[in-house]
Amino acid sequence: MNYIASVLVLLFLALTFIQSSYDKIFYWKDNVAWLKGHFSKTPLKNVVPYALFHVLVMELISSILCVVGCIEIFINNGRTFGFYGAIFSCITLLMLLFGQRIAKDYDGARTIVIYFIPAVMAVFWLN
């Protein structure tokens, strides 16, 4: 198994985004209400539900690609789906980072960077 580190990072990203997607889907109203307050003093204040939906779609795409990427690695040592899963994960995390920076939530932004580092490592390893 040449890609064990990549598989572990892809699983990490998949679990992260699956749980986050679950939370957004099953607690939509709570998330929208909290985020409206979080972004109340930003240019994003009027588009919170649309932005949240966009993030949800990106998280679902990221998690599906990461899971399929793990399967692909085990079946035929392929890297295509995992690579795109890692790229979509990076894009999703950059979107989240942008939101946190706009809201001036620097602790939240710092937390996202912690997730971004392994996502970039996966892009590098699977390229």
Side-chain angles (χ1 to χ4, degrees), residues 67-83:
V67 168
V68 173
C70 289
I71 294 167
E72 181 186 31
I73 287 170
F74 284 116
I75 289 176
N76 64 7
N77 265 354
R79 303 181 296 188
T80 304
F81 285 98
F83 176 69

Side-chain angles (χ1 to χ4, degrees), residues 41-62:
K41 297 177 183 175
T42 73
L44 300 176
K45 66 183 174 193
N46 295 323
V47 296
V48 167
Y50 304 109
L52 185 61
F53 180 75
H54 192 163
V55 169
L56 170 61
V57 169
M58 290 296 291
E59 288 180 344
L60 289 170
I61 292 169
S62 299

